[in-house]
Amino acid sequence: MLPYSLLYPQTNTARRAVKLDGMWKFSLDPQTQGEREGWPQGLPTQERIPVPASFQDFFTDKDTREYAGDFWYETKFFLPREWAGKRLFLRFGSVTHRAVVYCNGVEVARHQGGFLPFCADITAAARLDQENTLVVKANNELTETNIPCGRTITLKNGKKMAKPYFDFFNYAGIHRSVHLLALPQASIQDVSLTFALEERAAQVRYTVDCAPGCTVALSLLDAQGNLAASGEGTEGVLTVKEPRLWGVRDPYLYRLVVTLFQGDQLADQYTLETGIRTVEVRGAQILLNGKPVYLKGFGKHEDSDLFGRGFNPAALKRDFELMKWMGANSFRTSHYPYAEEVYQMADREGFLIIDEVPAVGMFESLMNFFDATTGKQSGFFGKETTPQLLQAHLQAVEEMIARDKNHPCVVAWSLFNEPETTNENAVPYFEQIFARARELDPQQRPRTFALIGNSTPETCKCVQLSDFVCLNRYYGWYNQGGYEISDAEENFRKEMDGWQARGLHRPFVFTEYGGDTLSSKHKLPSVMWSQEYQREALEMLHRVFDSYDFVQGEQVWNFADFQTGEGIMRVNGNKKGVFTRQRQPKDAAFLLKARWESIPHTGWEKSPGAKQGE
Ligand code: GCB
C-alpha cells in the first residue's frame, strides 16, 4: 500500500490544487555540501531554471550537461489562511532519479524512482498565512539497485559521470508539474474500475478507498452531462444501458463523480474521466471490446530540444497530431511511464498505450548497450544486489499501476525492456514482477516485456510469462545491414518459424524495429544511414510481419530522433526516428503512413495467405 493517494490533482468544491511550476532557484552540489551549509533552509544562489524541465540543455558548459550527483531546487509558496484544518501536500509528478523534499527546513519526503509521482505531507511543517520555503535535493546517479540501471564512475579529474546501461540520455531534474494540494480531513484515497460488456449494457464495477465512517455516492455522467447510472457505497456495480464504448481512435468518455459524505455533510469529491471498454488476449489476437486490434504505432521517448525529458504541452500536442496523421493507433511509453497528461490525451484521442515501467538497462552493458547484443552473459539477476533492485522494481510497478489503472488508453503493462533472459536466475525475478502486476491491476490487463535480439525461441527462459510477446528486432540494421539484407530477411523468417514451433499460441507485437537514418542523407542506390535504406529495410520487415498471422502489431523504433550519451554508435543521438527531433518527417513517414492507413484501427483479420499461428 502506498502511503499517499496518487489521484491526479483536482480543484473542486472540496479540493484545492495549485501548480507551483515556474522559475525555481537551482544549484549543483558537486562537493555534497548542501546539508552542511544549510541548503534545506534555502539556496545561496540567484540562478534559476524552469520547472518542469531537465536541467541539462540550458547551460553552455559541458560539466553541467554531463553532471552526475546531487542538485538542488528552491521555490517559495504562500498558504492561504482559509486552508486551516485541511491536509496539505506537495505532489511531484516526477523527480529524476531520487529526491529529498524539505518544507521550511524540515524533511517531509524521500523518494527513489524518477518517472512516477510522490507526495509529501506538509500539514505539520507548513505555515498558514505566510510564505513557505520548498527545497528539493535531487540526485541523478545511476546504480544497479535502482531502475533504470547503470553505474556512476569517477573520472581521473574527480568528476562523476553517469554510465547508463540503456540508450537514452540520462536527463534529470523536476520533470513534471509540482502541485500544492489542500485536501479534506476525510478524503477519497483511490477509485478503481473494471468493466464487463453485455448485450445492450455495461457493468461498471467500482471500489472506492476512503476515510472510514463515511458514505459514498457515485454518479456516472455521459459526455453531455446526463446521468447514465448512479450508485452508493464503497463497492458496487453501475449498470449502463446502451453504453457508448471507448474505442480505438473513437473515444467516448464518461465522467464518474464520486462524493464522500460525513453524516449529511459533503466531505470530499473526485471526478474521474473514464471510458467503458474491455481488453483481453484470446488465442493469437488482442481484443478490444471483443474485436481484434492490430497495433500500429511507435516506441517513443519523452525527449525534445531545450526541455530534455521535461513535460511540455506543446510537444505533446504536436506528437499526437503527427501520430494521427500517420494513421497510428498506439504507442509504447518506452522506457518509463510518461507524464500523466500524455495518458489523458490518449484517453481523449483514442490511442492505445503499452505502459512501460522504467526497468531498462537490466543487462550489464556500456556503449549504448552494445554488449547486450553480443550474446555475452552478465548474470544480471543473480547479483548480490539483486534483492534491492527487485524492491525498487516492485515499487515502480505498484506506483505505475496505482497511477494509470483507470485510463482506458492503457491496454497492457510492459514490465521490462530488453532484460537478460537467457539465464535461469532471471526466472524467479520475473515471476515476482509478473505476479505483482496481476495482483495490483483490477482490470487484469495483459502483461508483457520487450525481448532483446538474443532472447530467441531457443534461449529465452521468461517469454512464457508474457500474455502477448513483444519483440525488439533489428534485422537489416544491427543484424545483416546493407547489401546483406537478403540474409537478414532469411534469418528473420527462420526466427519467426522458431517462435511458431515453440507453440506459445499468443499474439506477437514488434515493439521495436528500424534503423538509423540521417535526414540529410539521400543516396541511390541506397546505403545504410540514407533515407532510401530506411525505406528498404522497413519494406523487408513489413513483408515478414505480414507472413505470420500471429503478428498482431508493429511499433517502429522510434517516433522521433532522440538524445543519447556520446559514443561511436550514435551521431549526437539516436537517429532511428521516423521524424527528426524537431518533429519533421523523414521519407519513411510516408511509407508507414500509406501502410497504416490501409490497416483498419480495429477489426483487421490478417490475410488468409499468412502463416497460421496455431
Ligand atoms: C533497443 C533498445 C532501445 C534502443 C534501440 C536502438 O533495443 O530497447 O532503447 O534505443 O534498441 O536504437 O538501438
Side-chain angles (χ1 to χ4, degrees), residues 225-237:
N226 301 316
L227 188 69
S230 60
E232 280 179 10
T234 54
E235 276 182 41
V237 180

Side-chain angles (χ1 to χ4, degrees), residues 190-219:
D190 198 8
V191 183
S192 297
L193 301 178
T194 65
F195 308 102
L197 304 183
E198 294 170 353
E199 190 60 19
R200 307 180 66 148
Q203 304 286 351
V204 180
R205 187 172 291 279
Y206 64 86
T207 315
V208 179
D209 180 8
C210 60
C214 296
T215 54
V216 177
L218 300 96
S219 314

